mmCIF file of all heavy atoms in Angstrom:
data_model
loop_
_atom_site.group_PDB
_atom_site.id
_atom_site.type_symbol
_atom_site.label_atom_id
_atom_site.label_comp_id
_atom_site.label_asym_id
_atom_site.label_seq_id
_atom_site.Cartn_x
_atom_site.Cartn_y
_atom_site.Cartn_z
ATOM 1 N N ALA A 1454 -7.990 3.287 5.303
ATOM 2 C CA ALA A 1454 -8.002 3.139 6.766
ATOM 3 C C ALA A 1454 -9.125 3.967 7.388
ATOM 4 O O ALA A 1454 -9.837 3.491 8.288
ATOM 5 C CB ALA A 1454 -6.655 3.557 7.354
ATOM 6 N N GLU A 1473 -13.191 14.567 4.249
ATOM 7 C CA GLU A 1473 -12.211 14.264 3.198
ATOM 8 C C GLU A 1473 -12.010 15.498 2.319
ATOM 9 O O GLU A 1473 -12.975 16.097 1.858
ATOM 10 C CB GLU A 1473 -12.728 13.067 2.371
ATOM 11 C CG GLU A 1473 -12.027 12.830 1.046
ATOM 12 C CD GLU A 1473 -10.515 12.639 1.168
ATOM 13 O OE1 GLU A 1473 -10.078 11.825 1.984
ATOM 14 O OE2 GLU A 1473 -9.781 13.333 0.421
ATOM 15 N N ARG A 1474 -10.737 15.852 2.083
ATOM 16 C CA ARG A 1474 -10.477 17.050 1.279
ATOM 17 C C ARG A 1474 -10.722 16.806 -0.219
ATOM 18 O O ARG A 1474 -10.956 17.740 -0.974
ATOM 19 C CB ARG A 1474 -9.056 17.584 1.526
ATOM 20 C CG ARG A 1474 -7.949 16.744 0.963
ATOM 21 C CD ARG A 1474 -6.628 17.045 1.642
ATOM 22 N NE ARG A 1474 -5.938 18.192 1.106
ATOM 23 C CZ ARG A 1474 -4.986 18.158 0.172
ATOM 24 N NH1 ARG A 1474 -4.630 17.001 -0.359
ATOM 25 N NH2 ARG A 1474 -4.401 19.238 -0.231
ATOM 26 N N GLY A 1480 -8.689 8.023 -1.325
ATOM 27 C CA GLY A 1480 -7.323 8.542 -1.201
ATOM 28 C C GLY A 1480 -6.468 8.032 -2.354
ATOM 29 O O GLY A 1480 -6.762 8.304 -3.520
ATOM 30 N N LYS A 1481 -5.442 7.260 -2.034
ATOM 31 C CA LYS A 1481 -4.552 6.734 -3.088
ATOM 32 C C LYS A 1481 -5.295 5.785 -4.020
ATOM 33 O O LYS A 1481 -4.873 5.583 -5.160
ATOM 34 C CB LYS A 1481 -3.350 6.032 -2.444
ATOM 35 C CG LYS A 1481 -2.486 6.996 -1.650
ATOM 36 C CD LYS A 1481 -1.229 6.368 -1.110
ATOM 37 C CE LYS A 1481 -0.377 7.403 -0.385
ATOM 38 N NZ LYS A 1481 -0.892 7.791 0.956
ATOM 39 N N PRO A 1496 -3.468 1.867 -6.193
ATOM 40 C CA PRO A 1496 -3.237 0.424 -6.044
ATOM 41 C C PRO A 1496 -4.023 -0.379 -7.074
ATOM 42 O O PRO A 1496 -5.134 0.004 -7.460
ATOM 43 C CB PRO A 1496 -3.736 0.131 -4.629
ATOM 44 C CG PRO A 1496 -4.633 1.261 -4.276
ATOM 45 C CD PRO A 1496 -4.139 2.449 -5.024
ATOM 46 N N THR A 1497 -3.420 -1.491 -7.498
ATOM 47 C CA THR A 1497 -4.085 -2.343 -8.483
ATOM 48 C C THR A 1497 -4.064 -3.815 -8.061
ATOM 49 O O THR A 1497 -4.830 -4.607 -8.580
ATOM 50 C CB THR A 1497 -3.375 -2.243 -9.850
ATOM 51 O OG1 THR A 1497 -1.982 -2.436 -9.622
ATOM 52 C CG2 THR A 1497 -3.590 -0.887 -10.501
ATOM 53 N N VAL A 1498 -3.157 -4.157 -7.146
ATOM 54 C CA VAL A 1498 -3.019 -5.561 -6.726
ATOM 55 C C VAL A 1498 -3.764 -5.727 -5.400
ATOM 56 O O VAL A 1498 -3.351 -5.173 -4.375
ATOM 57 C CB VAL A 1498 -1.525 -5.928 -6.537
ATOM 58 C CG1 VAL A 1498 -1.389 -7.387 -6.094
ATOM 59 C CG2 VAL A 1498 -0.744 -5.674 -7.822
ATOM 60 N N VAL A 1691 -9.469 19.586 6.553
ATOM 61 C CA VAL A 1691 -9.302 19.772 7.998
ATOM 62 C C VAL A 1691 -8.019 20.567 8.221
ATOM 63 O O VAL A 1691 -6.957 20.211 7.702
ATOM 64 C CB VAL A 1691 -9.234 18.409 8.726
ATOM 65 C CG1 VAL A 1691 -8.914 18.596 10.208
ATOM 66 C CG2 VAL A 1691 -10.553 17.655 8.551
ATOM 67 N N ASN A 1720 -6.371 9.935 9.429
ATOM 68 C CA ASN A 1720 -5.976 9.040 8.342
ATOM 69 C C ASN A 1720 -5.039 9.744 7.354
ATOM 70 O O ASN A 1720 -4.560 9.133 6.406
ATOM 71 C CB ASN A 1720 -7.227 8.493 7.628
ATOM 72 C CG ASN A 1720 -6.937 7.549 6.480
ATOM 73 O OD1 ASN A 1720 -7.674 7.510 5.484
ATOM 74 N ND2 ASN A 1720 -5.885 6.773 6.577
ATOM 75 N N GLY A 1908 -1.555 3.901 5.872
ATOM 76 C CA GLY A 1908 -0.391 3.170 5.367
ATOM 77 C C GLY A 1908 0.932 3.669 5.916
ATOM 78 O O GLY A 1908 1.945 2.984 5.785
ATOM 79 N N GLY A 1915 -0.038 -0.558 1.908
ATOM 80 C CA GLY A 1915 -0.790 -1.550 1.149
ATOM 81 C C GLY A 1915 -2.233 -1.484 1.626
ATOM 82 O O GLY A 1915 -2.504 -1.155 2.797
ATOM 83 N N VAL A 1916 -3.141 -1.764 0.714
ATOM 84 C CA VAL A 1916 -4.567 -1.616 1.025
ATOM 85 C C VAL A 1916 -5.001 -2.465 2.229
ATOM 86 O O VAL A 1916 -5.591 -1.937 3.184
ATOM 87 C CB VAL A 1916 -5.411 -1.920 -0.234
ATOM 88 C CG1 VAL A 1916 -6.887 -2.056 0.103
ATOM 89 C CG2 VAL A 1916 -5.165 -0.839 -1.279
HETATM 90 C C1 FAD B 2963 0.474 4.382 -7.491
HETATM 91 C C2 FAD B 2963 0.226 3.500 -6.284
HETATM 92 C C3 FAD B 2963 0.226 2.131 -6.435
HETATM 93 C C4 FAD B 2963 -0.017 1.309 -5.320
HETATM 94 N N1 FAD B 2963 -0.122 -0.050 -5.509
HETATM 95 C C5 FAD B 2963 -0.629 -0.817 -4.507
HETATM 96 C C6 FAD B 2963 -1.086 -2.127 -4.779
HETATM 97 O O1 FAD B 2963 -1.047 -2.598 -5.924
HETATM 98 N N2 FAD B 2963 -1.596 -2.849 -3.751
HETATM 99 C C7 FAD B 2963 -1.727 -2.334 -2.490
HETATM 100 O O2 FAD B 2963 -2.254 -3.018 -1.602
HETATM 101 N N3 FAD B 2963 -1.327 -1.068 -2.215
HETATM 102 C C8 FAD B 2963 -0.790 -0.303 -3.193
HETATM 103 N N4 FAD B 2963 -0.472 1.003 -2.962
HETATM 104 C C9 FAD B 2963 -0.487 1.504 -1.571
HETATM 105 C C10 FAD B 2963 -1.905 1.762 -1.077
HETATM 106 O O3 FAD B 2963 -2.620 2.459 -2.045
HETATM 107 C C11 FAD B 2963 -1.849 2.585 0.195
HETATM 108 O O4 FAD B 2963 -0.975 1.981 1.150
HETATM 109 C C12 FAD B 2963 -3.218 2.744 0.853
HETATM 110 O O5 FAD B 2963 -4.229 2.981 -0.091
HETATM 111 C C13 FAD B 2963 -3.103 3.892 1.835
HETATM 112 O O6 FAD B 2963 -4.329 4.123 2.463
HETATM 113 P P1 FAD B 2963 -4.458 5.129 3.672
HETATM 114 O O7 FAD B 2963 -5.516 4.604 4.571
HETATM 115 O O8 FAD B 2963 -3.119 5.387 4.263
HETATM 116 O O9 FAD B 2963 -5.024 6.452 3.085
HETATM 117 P P2 FAD B 2963 -4.605 7.449 1.817
HETATM 118 O O10 FAD B 2963 -4.918 6.688 0.615
HETATM 119 O O11 FAD B 2963 -3.245 7.913 2.054
HETATM 120 O O12 FAD B 2963 -5.665 8.537 2.039
HETATM 121 C C14 FAD B 2963 -5.564 9.543 3.015
HETATM 122 C C15 FAD B 2963 -6.724 10.486 2.791
HETATM 123 O O13 FAD B 2963 -6.644 11.561 3.713
HETATM 124 C C16 FAD B 2963 -7.087 12.730 3.045
HETATM 125 N N5 FAD B 2963 -6.577 13.909 3.717
HETATM 126 C C17 FAD B 2963 -5.274 14.259 3.893
HETATM 127 N N6 FAD B 2963 -5.192 15.455 4.510
HETATM 128 C C18 FAD B 2963 -6.472 15.861 4.747
HETATM 129 C C19 FAD B 2963 -7.029 17.012 5.347
HETATM 130 N N7 FAD B 2963 -6.279 18.007 5.842
HETATM 131 N N8 FAD B 2963 -8.376 17.113 5.415
HETATM 132 C C20 FAD B 2963 -9.170 16.132 4.926
HETATM 133 N N9 FAD B 2963 -8.678 15.010 4.331
HETATM 134 C C21 FAD B 2963 -7.348 14.881 4.251
HETATM 135 C C22 FAD B 2963 -6.498 12.588 1.651
HETATM 136 O O14 FAD B 2963 -7.147 13.423 0.708
HETATM 137 C C23 FAD B 2963 -6.732 11.114 1.400
HETATM 138 O O15 FAD B 2963 -7.965 10.855 0.795
HETATM 139 C C24 FAD B 2963 -0.225 1.865 -4.037
HETATM 140 C C25 FAD B 2963 -0.217 3.253 -3.891
HETATM 141 C C26 FAD B 2963 -0.022 4.069 -5.012
HETATM 142 C C27 FAD B 2963 -0.121 5.549 -4.845
#
Side-chain angles (χ1 to χ4, degrees):
E1473 166 57 50
R1474 71 200 277 265
K1481 296 185 177 75
T1497 50
V1498 180
V1691 174
N1720 180 213
V1916 168

